[in-house]
Amino acid sequence: MSRSNPRVLSTLERAGGFASAQEIYALMQRDGQQIGLTTVYRSLQSLLNDKIVDVLRREDGEAIYRLCGESHHHHLVCKSCGKTVEIEGGAIEKWAKNIASENGFRDVGHTAELFGTCSNC
Amino acid sequence: MSRSNPRVLSTLERAGGFASAQEIYALMQRDGQQIGLTTVYRSLQSLLNDKIVDVLRREDGEAIYRLCGESHHHHLVCKSCGKTVEIEGGAIEKWAKNIASENGFRDVGHTAELFGTCSNC
DNA sequence: GCACATATGAAAACGGTTGTCATTTTCACT
DNA sequence: AGTGAAAATGACAACCGTTTTCATATGTGC
């Protein structure tokens, strides 16, 4: 089992705590850090195992990783300009937990993303 | 521009209104309906255009299509056996609407999916 | 029947992700 | 320092879902 390469984590931080594997790889290349794409994927996998990062999916299916540990939050994204607002999801957390226990599920995670049109568009 | 093949839609209905392109294709094959994978994808694309179906992503990135139009609902999916429970999302709808108006967004849609481990797994 | 548009599906291309494997690095122990 | 085992690395190929291409089939209106 491989350990996470610390430079991957620090690049993810630098990216605003929200990026895909390919983006992290590109960022590191641009900075002149030499690393293989494979290692980026492996590091993210390992960070995921250790629950240092979360994964979710963009609309096109690409996996994006974000730091977790800080308060869990969701996003409100504008469909036309891409503007993104971070949302506190306290209500959702409770809802998820309730639904899960009602149905006998354990270890429940959730995704909740909102998208619409912002005031400027 | 291609039209949707009606057998694709009826297979999606038969699958419980919730399936991936590959699953629909497999289902049809098993039933002896001859169809190409390409046509399944194209039909789903067209159903999507016409807003007959919704698309969202499984955890592994595979796109799953569901009938929409019936009451909007969410899903609680077991990570290990795939068991799926349909969830009424009244609370979420309100939450989404509030958040949206607080931030000046219009035409807001949302995805919210829960996944965990069911009682049998 | 004939032209013209549309529908179809096999095969190839594509893009993100994962697996393979030979090489390099790390490190505990002499 | 020297050595050897274990872990990490990265080029490359395999994989898988999806999209594109293209040649063929099936209409549809004249």
Side-chain angles (χ1 to χ4, degrees):
Chain A
M1 188 64 68
S2 81
R3 287 280 165 67
S4 147
N5 182 320
R7 285 174 299 153
V8 170
L9 181 53
S10 86
T11 304
L12 180 55
E13 277 166 359
R14 204 152 41 82
F18 202 147
S20 74
Q22 313 265 351
E23 284 165 357
I24 291 171
Y25 175 65
L27 256 175
M28 296 181 78
Q29 298 269 86
R30 201 176 317 138
D31 278 12
Q33 302 190 46
Q34 89 171 36
I35 194 169
L37 186 52
T38 315
T39 302
V40 173
Y41 274 106
R42 258 192 305 239
S43 295
L44 288 169
Q45 208 57 43
S46 151
L47 289 168
L48 206 58
N49 267 350
D50 298 347
K51 303 212 163 54
I52 312 288
V53 304
D54 247 357
V55 63
L56 46 93
R57 298 272 166 183
R58 268 207 246 278
E59 230 174 312
D60 69 348
E62 196 176 0
I64 51 184
Y65 301 84
R66 74 173 162 195
L67 290 169
C68 56
E70 312 159 36
S71 76
H72 178 66
H73 60 257
H74 303 274
H75 295 94
L76 171 57
V77 184
C78 176
K79 280 182 209 174
S80 79
C81 71
K83 178 185 169 190
T84 299
V85 181
E86 295 192 353
I87 302 295
E88 279 309 314
I92 297 292
E93 317 298 320
K94 276 183 214 155
W95 173 75
K97 213 165 267 182
N98 284 343
I99 296 284
S101 66
E102 275 172 27
N103 291 275
F105 277 60
R106 287 166 284 127
D107 303 328
V108 174
H110 64 277
T111 63
E113 303 295 318
L114 311 183
F115 29 88
T117 311
C118 79
S119 44
N120 299 334
C121 297
Chain B
M1 186 67 67
S2 84
R3 287 279 163 70
S4 149
N5 182 319
R7 284 174 299 153
V8 170
L9 180 53
S10 86
T11 304
L12 180 55
E13 278 167 359
R14 204 150 42 81
F18 199 151
S20 75
Q22 311 266 352
E23 286 165 356
I24 290 171
Y25 175 64
L27 256 175
M28 296 181 77
Q29 297 269 86
R30 200 177 318 139
D31 278 12
Q33 303 191 45
Q34 90 169 36
I35 194 169
L37 187 52
T38 314
T39 303
V40 173
Y41 275 107
R42 259 191 302 239
S43 295
L44 288 169
Q45 208 58 43
S46 150
L47 289 168
L48 206 59
N49 267 350
D50 298 347
K51 302 212 164 53
I52 313 285
V53 304
D54 248 357
V55 64
L56 46 94
R57 296 271 167 183
R58 268 207 246 281
E59 232 180 315
D60 68 348
E62 196 176 0
I64 52 185
Y65 301 84
R66 74 173 162 196
L67 290 169
C68 55
E70 313 157 38
S71 78
H72 179 64
H73 59 259
H74 303 277
H75 295 93
L76 171 57
V77 184
C78 176
K79 280 183 207 174
S80 77
C81 71
K83 179 185 168 190
T84 300
V85 182
E86 295 193 352
I87 303 294
E88 277 310 314
I92 296 294
E93 317 298 320
K94 275 183 214 156
W95 173 76
K97 212 163 267 181
N98 284 344
I99 296 284
S101 66
E102 276 172 26
N103 290 276
F105 276 60
R106 288 165 284 124
D107 302 329
V108 174
H110 64 278
T111 63
E113 302 296 318
L114 311 183
F115 26 88
T117 311
C118 80
S119 44
N120 300 332
C121 297

